[in-house]
Amino acid sequence: MTIQQPTDLTPAAMLGLGVHRPERVVTNDEICEVLDSSDEWIQTRSGIRTRRFAGEGETLIGMSVTAAEKALAAAGVDAGQVGCVIVATSTHPEHTPASAPQVATALGINAAAFDISAGCAGFCHALNLAASMVRSGAESHVLVIGVEQLSRFMDPTDRGTAFIFADGAGAVVVGPSETAGIGPTAWGSDGSQAHVITQTPSCMGVREHTDADHPVVQMEGTAVFRWAPFAMAKVAHEALDLAGVSVDDLDAFIPHQANLRITQTLAKNIQLPDSVAVATDVVDSGNTSAASVPLAMEAMLRNDEAAVGDTALLIAFGAGLSYAGQVVTLPPLG
């Protein structure tokens, strides 16, 4: 399937994909050792059976480096060819320095590097930025990483979040291609709903109250469920229209892995044909926020639910509230 873009721009595509999944698998039964819940309740509400938490020695930067190394190898691109590194994350524990320069140095990349924070939509935001750099000729290759360690920013007794969030990293190399492999992005935000997904207490709250709790992520799950499957259906069709692709042209639908019920409702609202494979990595990996889309891409390729070169629709949404989506060609897997 040919993805449309202005003819005077350099076509951009994802040239390689790599991921890092922490070794520690956490079951619902383990979550319920602290949380007042049950495996049946969690699966009914979210579809999640297991998730992965970073181990004692696993850092956000280390997870990013591992995923990036695999993506670079899959793309056949070396560190010297990368002109920019973009890390999408909400869980780098320091406001400064950003994680991206440290990731770049660990990879032997001497280039521009910065973090972006767009919640669970971060990877798709970063992918748009990277594709724009390549299309314009500003950079030939850009490394995009989505990474989170949400297990370190959760209240294990919170029935709204404790069973949902998890850890992981996914990376892609974006570079020039003979044909466009990343369509124009449909994206936006709605700050009037900023209260729906938050960090509590704020950093100022911690400073003002030395006995304040460790900051944790909080979410109004019902509000997200009422918004995402319906608002994102419109965004999906906008992304398809921008790329000149119909739902019948799609091979795969890879949304942010927020909740299996949201994914199923969204797929229905988009009116996807039965021939389109739908990513359900949330069942085994939980909600990994900015890492969820690349992790879900990897799972589909690894499990032969989709193939390299297939046409896929990506949609992501989260804190902000922010959202983004684009039609892409699936890349080789490292």
Side-chain angles (χ1 to χ4, degrees):
M1 181 63 210
T2 301
I3 298 173
Q4 294 181 1
Q5 72 165 37
T7 56
D8 59 339
L9 299 178
T10 300
M14 293 184 288
L15 306 182
L17 165 67
V19 305
H20 175 83
R21 296 178 185 271
E23 290 187 12
R24 184 186 170 200
V25 177
V26 179
T27 65
N28 289 339
D29 288 338
E30 182 176 343
I31 292 291
C32 294
E33 290 175 4
V34 177
L35 184 69
D36 180 19
S37 187
S38 69
D39 172 68
E40 180 183 8
W41 188 88
I42 291 172
Q43 289 202 50
T44 300
R45 296 274 297 187
S46 68
I48 298 171
R49 293 184 305 212
T50 63
R51 76 283 294 145
R52 297 192 182 222
F53 286 177
E56 192 71 26
E58 287 180 295
T59 66
L60 184 137
I61 290 169
M63 291 166 58
S64 299
V65 170
T66 300
E69 288 174 337
K70 294 176 182 177
L72 289 165
V77 171
D78 63 41
Q81 294 174 267
V82 177
C84 184
V85 177
I86 307 174
V87 175
T89 187
S90 298
T91 52
H92 178 49
E94 301 159 355
H95 284 300
T96 191
S99 67
Q102 299 172 72
V103 172
T105 293
L107 292 167
I109 296 172
N110 183 19
F114 57 90
D115 291 1
I116 67 167
S117 177
C120 301
F123 176 82
C124 288
H125 277 63
L127 188 61
N128 183 34
L129 296 178
S132 298
M133 291 180 191
V134 173
R135 291 190 195 111
S136 69
E139 300 295 345
S140 63
H141 294 86
V142 180
L143 178 61
V144 173
I145 302 166
V147 58
E148 302 287 7
Q149 286 194 343
L150 284 151
S151 64
R152 297 177 181 174
F153 292 89
M154 289 192 306
D155 175 357
T157 66
D158 182 355
R159 286 172 60 89
T161 60
F163 64 91
I164 292 175
F165 293 112
D167 305 339
V172 295
V173 177
V174 177
S177 176
E178 291 185 3
T179 58
I182 302 172
T185 298
W187 61 350
S189 65
D190 181 3
S192 70
Q193 298 195 71
H195 61 280
V196 171
I197 305 172
T198 61
Q199 170 195 293
T200 305
S202 72
C203 292
M204 287 304 297
V206 173
R207 179 175 181 175
E208 293 168 1
H209 304 284
T210 55
D211 59 346
D213 293 333
H214 175 71
V216 295
V217 174
Q218 294 188 318
M219 179 173 66
E220 297 177 19
T222 301
V224 174
F225 190 87
R226 288 174 178 168
W227 171 75
F230 306 98
M232 291 306 99
K234 296 178 182 179
V235 175
H237 282 286
E238 182 182 350
L240 290 166
D241 290 343
L242 288 170
V245 172
S246 75
V247 290
D248 295 321
D249 297 321
L250 292 173
D251 299 301
F253 174 48
I254 308 177
H256 162 52
Q257 301 294 287
N259 177 303
L260 186 60
R261 292 170 60 200
I262 289 178
T263 293
Q264 292 169 337
T265 306
L266 178 54
K268 180 180 178 180
N269 290 344
I270 296 171
Q271 298 183 321
L272 293 176
D274 293 340
S275 59
V276 178
V278 178
T280 58
D281 190 46
V282 68
V283 172
D284 298 315
S285 301
N287 179 339
T288 54
S289 188
S292 82
V293 168
L295 285 171
M297 277 198 289
E298 183 268 347
M300 295 195 84
L301 292 168
R302 173 169 41 84
N303 295 325
D304 295 323
E305 297 168 348
V308 174
D310 276 358
T311 301
L313 171 63
L314 311 182
I315 291 287
F317 47 89
L321 293 170
S322 299
Y323 56 87
Q326 53 268 105
V327 176
V328 303
T329 300
L330 295 180
L333 180 60

